[in-house]
Amino acid sequence: MEGDIVSSLRDIIAPERMFVEEPMKKHTTFRVGGNADLLIRPASVAEIEKGIQCCQELAVPYYIIGNGSNLLVGDGGIRGVVIQIGSDFSKIEVGDDDTVWVQAGCMLSKAAHVAMEHGLSGMEFASGIPGTIGGAVVMNAGAYEGEMKDIIDCVTLLSHDGEVLILPQDQMEFGYRESIVSKQNYIVLEVKLKLHKGKPEAIAEKMKELNDARQKKQPLEFPSAGSTFKRPEGYFAGKLIMDTGLAGYRIGDAQVSEKHCGFVINRGKATAREIVTLMNEITKRVEEKFQVVLEPEVRKMGDFSESRKKETLPEQAE
Ligand SMILES: Cc1cc2nc3c(=O)[nH]c(=O)nc-3n(C[C@H](O)[C@H](O)[C@H](O)COP(=O)(O)OP(=O)(O)OC[C@H]3O[C@@H](n4cnc5c(N)ncnc54)[C@H](O)[C@@H]3O)c2cc1C
């Protein structure tokens, strides 16, 4: 990687928040992915803005990640700069009108916990989703009849030409596991949640009940990126995969979970190639048997070619 970008970013980002040749398996819940040329963790809006400007000026590609819980990074890693919006950018401020301002890098579990402590209900459904609030807005993450779109008042975004804008919920184009963010290449900076009053004990009990259900049904003992495929209209991906006879089906260390067939899990040393091959095989067999085409929910990022090539790859696949 060009030394230029590293030295330019050193003027903006503290050395302890810059990582050269960083293994992406450390930053994805799948525990898969080759090295990123450089990973940075900005701690303020100004650092995010300047970091992006720097990449643009030097024509270096950059990619935004949160907790990496919906990502499959290629074995060849990522050419360019990964900007991780995580715990260094995760302040929470509770308003006096049932609203909560949360910076994009805050984990959903933490935001849900703070809301509970302030007697604010509405985030219970999201408390067990292992991602950041920024990633959850991008994905319109949802579970147990709730979706991010139900609790968002407005979102502060950074456009790629450096403009900061605040979009109200009805302009966020929320759909099933999608929003305007990826379509416009925005970066989520902050989210204003609109919750409602509730009793902390009742909120805590609901969160426990939903998290117990996750423990029971999902293979949380293995690395994964959650549901590998989106729910096709009128079906459940996990049931289709199970009824195709693929429970436990394995390619290398990538396996269809026997506990929940909607999850591809990493049994230990799975490669991105093994996971992609398994996903393709699942898609093919389910289509042959049920004429239903499964669409990935997991997003691919980086280099999926056989050998690591020092070249810029297309934008992440959606
Ligand atoms: C065990 C397990 C269970 C899960 N259960 C659920 C579930 O019940 N419901 C559900 O919806 N999902 C679930 N997921 C998937 C995942 O947790 C969610 O999609 C989560 O919202 C992703 O957040 P993240 O911070 O990890 O985002 P990442 O995976 O890091 O990124 C996801 C996408 O968002 C983009 N992105 C991230 N942050 C920003 C930002 N600040 N600005 C702009 N773009 C950004 C990335 O470029 C990428 O395109 C599960 C995953 C696991 C591992």
Side-chain angles (χ1 to χ4, degrees):
M1 147 160 243
E2 293 296 319
D4 276 6
I5 184 79
V6 179
S7 53
S8 302
L9 284 169
R10 277 208 180 105
D11 295 338
I12 301 165
I13 311 280
E16 66 274 17
R17 289 189 277 102
M18 280 181 72
F19 306 86
V20 177
E21 283 293 329
E22 180 69 0
M24 288 305 293
K25 58 177 64 173
K26 280 167 65 180
H27 302 283
T28 58
T29 54
F30 243 142
R31 301 282 171 254
V32 165
N35 292 359
D37 290 339
L38 178 66
L39 182 141
I40 60 170
R41 287 193 188 136
S44 67
V45 175
E47 286 187 9
I48 297 172
E49 276 174 351
K50 286 186 196 158
I52 286 172
Q53 205 184 351
C54 194
C55 291
Q56 286 172 340
E57 278 166 14
L58 295 171
V60 172
Y62 58 92
Y63 303 85
I64 310 295
I65 69 163
N67 191 49
S69 62
N70 202 50
L71 288 182
L72 177 59
V73 174
D75 299 321
I78 298 177
R79 304 288 68 74
V81 178
V82 173
I83 302 176
Q84 184 173 48
I85 300 186
S87 57
D88 292 313
F89 191 74
S90 65
K91 284 196 203 96
I92 305 180
E93 234 173 82
V94 181
D96 45 16
D97 53 352
D98 302 344
T99 59
V100 185
W101 284 94
V102 190
Q103 280 189 323
C106 180
M107 293 295 281
L108 288 165
S109 52
K110 184 179 163 198
H113 195 81
V114 169
M116 180 268 289
E117 285 175 339
H118 284 80
L120 291 172
S121 174
M123 269 207 90
E124 294 86 333
F125 78 90
S127 62
I129 301 177
T132 62
I133 200 113
V137 168
V138 175
M139 298 300 300
N140 186 22
Y144 304 111
E145 321 269 294
E147 276 185 316
M148 289 307 292
K149 71 171 173 51
D150 305 332
I151 55 168
I152 283 171
D153 181 88
C154 61
V155 181
T156 308
L157 300 156
L158 178 68
S159 76
H160 281 240
D161 48 16
E163 191 195 350
V164 175
L165 58 158
I166 299 180
L167 287 191
Q169 193 270 7
D170 62 358
Q171 286 178 32
M172 285 296 296
E173 298 181 16
F174 285 120
Y176 176 58
R177 301 294 170 267
E178 63 172 26
S179 67
I180 196 171
V181 183
S182 304
K183 292 179 215 162
Q184 296 292 338
N185 269 334
Y186 288 142
I187 294 169
V188 180
L189 297 178
E190 202 172 21
V191 182
K192 184 183 182 189
L193 302 172
K194 179 82 184 142
L195 303 173
H196 56 270
K197 292 206 168 47
K199 289 208 168 80
E201 313 77 56
I203 298 167
E205 200 177 309
K206 186 75 192 166
M207 284 181 356
K208 183 176 179 319
E209 179 195 318
L210 298 182
N211 289 336
D212 287 349
R214 269 181 197 275
Q215 292 283 347
K216 212 165 135 200
K217 291 195 189 135
Q218 300 182 355
L220 302 182
E221 60 280 26
F222 290 105
S224 79
S227 297
T228 314
F229 298 97
K230 291 183 180 172
R231 194 179 56 235
E233 227 179 305
Y235 300 91
F236 289 101
K239 175 140 177 41
L240 288 172
I241 297 166
M242 188 172 70
D243 293 347
T244 308
L246 288 170
Y249 184 77
R250 188 165 174 165
I251 293 179
D253 260 358
Q255 187 181 34
V256 175
S257 162
E258 286 168 300
K259 192 170 175 186
H260 188 319
C261 289
F263 281 56
V264 166
I265 55 171
N266 176 358
R267 297 285 313 205
K269 293 197 170 125
T271 60
R273 174 146 298 274
E274 288 167 353
I275 292 172
V276 169
T277 311
L278 180 58
M279 286 171 65
N280 291 343
E281 193 60 26
I282 295 168
T283 311
K284 182 172 139 246
R285 296 219 203 160
V286 168
E287 187 176 6
E288 276 166 10
K289 185 146 176 141
F290 294 106
Q291 291 75 54
V292 177
V293 181
L294 292 178
E295 245 189 87
E297 178 166 324
V298 169
R299 294 185 174 196
K300 286 161 83 180
M301 192 178 271
D303 185 349
F304 283 79
S305 59
E306 283 291 336
S307 57
R308 180 180 159 148
K309 289 186 193 135
K310 285 272 180 189
E311 63 189 20
T312 303
L313 281 159
E315 279 294 294
Q316 67 182 62
E318 295 297 318

